[in-house]
Amino acid sequence: MTDATQEGELWGRRAAQRAALGAKMSMPAWKTAIERTHIGTGTTVLDLACGSGEFCALATEAGARATGIDASNKMIELARQAAPTAEFHVRALGPLPWHDGTFDVVTAFNSLFFAPDPEAAFAEATRVSRDYVVVCDWHPEHPSDILTVGWAVRGRSGRRRPEMPEPHEELTIDIPQEHPDEDTMLRAFLSTGGYQRLIESDGEESVAEKIRVATEPFRTAEGGYRLANKYLMSIFRKNPRM
């Protein structure tokens, strides 16, 4: 089993739970990308590591012809339900099967650091784009509470964002995440692929207790949780005169 296949399997274990409790956290970034790249009727879009397909669904609602790839079979099954008019493929980040300039817009939301070679994955995104490439990642200069919790529970992953040229535009996007109670918060964290190996080794209750401790600073007076997070969105253009 390749690393990419393993990653897809881990994220697929609780795919439906992840889709229900955490997938739409990136909605502010998705809406910003659609606005800034002028996605609309007839636009062709490719979303890399599309997960359960919510961005593709949003793009098709705007009139685009959307395609998504993800390493998880389970995620792709959900994506086909979320965006039935889009096209989806089970495929890891890496070489892409499309010709140069196939898509008007190529997007990568919190995904390129999953690639074995992030720079090669970015180069492929650029190659198959006719104009826009949007890369969205955790902001390197502003702490995000989700990462703070993850580092406390699992340690740092060692993944890295790709080295990229100067973008046409950079934007800081606020990505708050709120949970009404402890049970919902725990199920949201435990649904992500990053916690699955730790659950295997330490047991779910042990991991859940570590998450409870790490999220205590983010508990609200009402007993819910609010986590503040920031993305850095980098927008690249191949044909700025279009």
Side-chain angles (χ1 to χ4, degrees), residues 12 27 41 68 85 88 98 102 116 150 156-157 183 195 210 232:
M27 184 66 75
T41 302
T85 63
F88 293 101
W98 295 282
T102 297
R156 293 178 181 260
S157 68
D183 179 67
Y195 286 90
K210 292 177 183 177
L232 177 64

Side-chain angles (χ1 to χ4, degrees), residues 17-41:
Q17 188 170 313
R18 174 62 184 165
L21 298 176
K24 291 186 178 179
M25 179 185 73
S26 296
M27 184 66 75
W30 298 340
K31 290 182 175 180
T32 300
I34 286 174
E35 175 188 347
R36 296 287 178 157
T37 63
H38 312 291
I39 290 174
T41 302

Side-chain angles (χ1 to χ4, degrees), residues 145-154 189 195 211 214-215 218 227:
D145 295 340
I146 286 178
L147 289 186
T148 299
V149 173
W151 292 339
V153 176
R154 300 181 285 117
F189 272 100
Y195 286 90
I211 295 172
T215 55
F218 312 114
L227 297 103

Side-chain angles (χ1 to χ4, degrees), residues 102-239:
T102 297
F103 302 95
D104 297 313
V105 181
V106 179
T107 56
F109 298 99
N110 260 14
S111 62
L112 292 185
F113 52 70
F114 286 114
D117 185 336
E119 285 77 22
F122 174 74
E124 277 292 274
T126 302
R127 180 185 66 78
V128 301
S129 169
R130 188 164 68 95
D131 191 5
Y132 288 98
V133 177
V134 178
V135 177
C136 206
D137 200 350
W138 300 110
H139 204 296
E141 298 175 4
H142 298 284
S144 289
D145 295 340
I146 286 178
L147 289 186
T148 299
V149 173
W151 292 339
V153 176
R154 300 181 285 117
R156 293 178 181 260
S157 68
R159 295 192 178 100
R160 63 178 182 85
R161 50 181 308 181
E163 296 292 331
M164 300 179 294
E166 189 72 21
H168 176 75
E169 184 178 17
E170 278 190 340
L171 300 163
T172 297
I173 312 291
D174 288 316
I175 309 290
Q177 188 174 45
E178 297 186 4
H179 303 295
D181 51 51
E182 182 181 276
D183 179 67
T184 305
M185 177 275 293
L186 286 173
R187 288 190 295 115
F189 272 100
L190 293 170
S191 69
T192 65
Y195 286 90
Q196 301 311 307
R197 287 194 177 97
L198 191 60
I199 291 171
E200 283 182 350
S201 62
D202 294 4
E204 183 169 324
E205 185 48 48
S206 173
V207 177
E209 181 55 32
K210 292 177 183 177
I211 295 172
R212 287 188 189 96
V213 172
T215 55
E216 186 59 32
F218 312 114
R219 186 191 287 267
T220 66
E222 295 76 24
Y225 296 80
R226 190 181 194 281
L227 297 103
N229 311 285
K230 291 184 184 295
Y231 284 167
L232 177 64
M233 177 179 287
S234 302
I235 301 176
F236 303 86
R237 294 203 68 180
K238 295 176 70 175
N239 297 295

